[in-house]
Amino acid sequence: RLSDGPPETLRQLPFYLPTVPLALAPLAAGGAHTAAVLWSALQVITLAYALARLRAWLRTDATDPGAGAGAFWLLILISLPAIYEATKFNQVTWFTLALLIAGQAALERGKDAAAGCWLAAAAVLKLLPALLFVWLLFERRWRAAATMAVAIVAFMVTPPVIAFGPDRAWQYHLQWWSFNVREGAAERWLSTEHWGDNSEHFIDRRNQSIAAICGRVFWKDHAHRVAWQPLNLTQRQVLRLANAISAALGVLLLAASWPGRGERRPADAPDIPDTPNVSTANSRAWPARGRFALYLIALQVLAPLARMYYLAWTLPALAILAARSASIAPVRTRTAARLGVLLWCVGMLAWPVREMRE
């Protein structure tokens, strides 16, 4: 809403930065039905773009075109539950994934400024992708990292200042900060008292974040605690445990995503050089693609509100597993990739059970 009024009446759950509703507002200019059509079209377009980019990964990696096609259909088959859930919930999941993949694609082509802008747009839209800034630093893409930082500030500040004026824009950002970052915000994911009506889905089984799971398993006063709790912790102890687990996983992420000595490359050089052997050149990009996919998994693992439809962000990782399963890679690599596909499929066996997928 762009009307005048006290900020607290206009943004009841300010998960998103003020720029996001401004970006979405034009969709409603033609009425509810037009907005629904446009929104659905954008969902389809962004999903199609993400799948097309991943298909390009698989097609250029395979020496046999048939193997590339087989890997793509394997990717579609094993990711159907994630695709279905993300589409059903109709959130900004596909928009975020498309922006992230566009940033990764630009980076491979050596277009670091464009990559920084795409990744900044994803970060402003969904916040969690700001973690990709660390990825850029580890990849030594200084220009892309600098562009991303500047673009995030520009995307955050400029549209609200233009639309609302400096004072209201500042108030909206303060409200966002108070709701999402300030001291005490973490407790929101453990208790319904902060949410009001229709709040159960923030803290029950539908929130699979580390903090929410720890609360249900270890806090005896949790509204949705499990039947058997191995520990009896206070709320503050639960939060400390969740923070410790998140920190440990963050350290593992940094260690796993650190490029090996043989993979370090001149800063701001394209991952895919100008070479007539596209398959060979493309194969050089796979280590960086793997680290990119690892960060997208981290977005889900470290999220304070983790939903089933966030699994859509695992598609790049699944594409890598599918590619390695169908390629003529060393036996150990193929075996590990196939075990990864098998593990994912075993996990997806729980998807038909409503209590497991929601």
Side-chain angles (χ1 to χ4, degrees):
R1 291 181 57 181
L2 304 181
S3 61
D4 292 331
E8 62 273 10
T9 66
L10 300 182
R11 290 171 56 79
Q12 295 299 321
L13 292 177
F15 296 117
Y16 297 102
L17 288 164
T19 293
V20 177
L22 285 175
L24 299 179
L27 296 177
H33 295 293
T34 302
V37 171
L38 292 175
W39 183 262
S40 299
L42 288 173
Q43 295 278 350
V44 173
I45 290 170
T46 49
L47 171 59
Y49 171 78
L51 292 177
R53 286 300 312 164
L54 296 178
R55 184 176 185 180
W57 283 15
L58 300 171
R59 184 177 61 250
T60 54
D61 178 64
T63 53
D64 177 9
F72 176 72
W73 289 112
L74 173 63
L75 167 65
I76 296 296
L77 179 64
I78 65 178
S79 60
L80 275 178
I83 293 174
Y84 174 83
E85 291 296 324
T87 304
K88 181 183 76 172
F89 278 90
N90 211 24
Q91 298 286 326
V92 296
T93 311
W94 294 128
F95 301 163
T96 305
L97 181 61
L99 290 169
L100 292 170
I101 290 179
Q104 183 273 338
L107 206 67
E108 281 193 353
R109 298 189 180 100
K111 299 179 179 179
D112 288 52
C117 289
W118 288 120
L119 296 176
V124 171
L125 174 62
K126 199 60 179 175
L127 301 178
L128 294 168
L131 185 62
L132 273 292
F133 181 77
V134 179
W135 172 63
L136 293 177
L137 295 179
F138 274 33
E139 297 293 321
R140 300 182 66 228
R141 305 305 286 260
W142 315 123
R143 187 184 306 166
T147 303
M148 182 180 180
V150 172
I152 285 177
V153 175
F155 294 161
M156 284 176 55
V157 174
T158 306
V161 168
I162 294 175
F164 302 123
D167 292 338
R168 285 180 63 194
W170 176 248
Q171 290 300 317
Y172 286 143
H173 282 97
L174 285 179
Q175 187 181 15
W176 175 87
W177 178 267
S178 175
F179 189 89
N180 294 281
V181 184
R182 68 168 175 81
E183 183 179 358
E187 282 82 352
R188 295 180 187 276
W189 309 109
L190 297 179
S191 174
T192 57
E193 62 181 286
H194 302 285
W195 298 103
D197 298 335
N198 193 28
S199 61
E200 298 297 317
H201 65 96
F202 290 113
I203 66 168
D204 65 11
R205 68 180 187 279
R206 288 169 287 186
N207 183 357
Q208 293 297 315
S209 69
I210 294 173
I213 292 174
C214 287
R216 293 193 294 269
V217 175
F218 299 118
W219 185 29
K220 67 181 181 64
D221 295 326
H222 197 284
H224 298 275
R225 61 186 179 274
V226 297
W228 180 78
Q229 292 183 312
L231 295 175
N232 182 12
L233 303 180
T234 65
Q235 185 185 61
R236 184 169 296 276
Q237 289 172 330
V238 166
L239 290 174
R240 288 174 179 171
L241 175 62
N243 290 336
I245 294 174
S246 299
L249 291 174
V251 170
L252 289 176
L253 168 67
L254 297 179
S257 62
W258 187 268
R261 180 174 300 180
E263 299 174 39
R264 295 179 185 176
R265 38 179 296 291
D268 299 326
D271 290 318
I272 301 183
D274 186 12
T275 173
N277 190 339
V278 177
S279 180
T280 300
N282 189 65
S283 65
R284 301 179 190 176
W286 279 99
R289 290 173 178 173
R291 294 189 290 271
F292 168 75
L294 184 61
Y295 272 80
L296 264 61
I297 293 176
L299 300 187
Q300 307 160 63
V301 175
L302 301 178
L305 177 63
R307 300 296 201 190
M308 176 70 178
Y309 51 83
Y310 284 9
L311 288 175
W313 295 340
T314 61
L315 260 64
L318 293 176
I320 292 173
L321 293 178
R324 300 295 90 175
S325 298
S327 69
I328 54 173
V331 174
R332 182 180 299 179
T333 301
R334 289 203 311 273
T335 301
R338 290 169 183 174
L339 286 175
V341 171
L342 178 61
L343 180 63
W344 168 269
C345 291
V346 169
M348 288 301 101
L349 290 177
W351 176 69
V353 182
R354 179 181 177 182
E355 288 76 11
M356 299 294 292
R357 72 172 182 267
E358 293 186 349

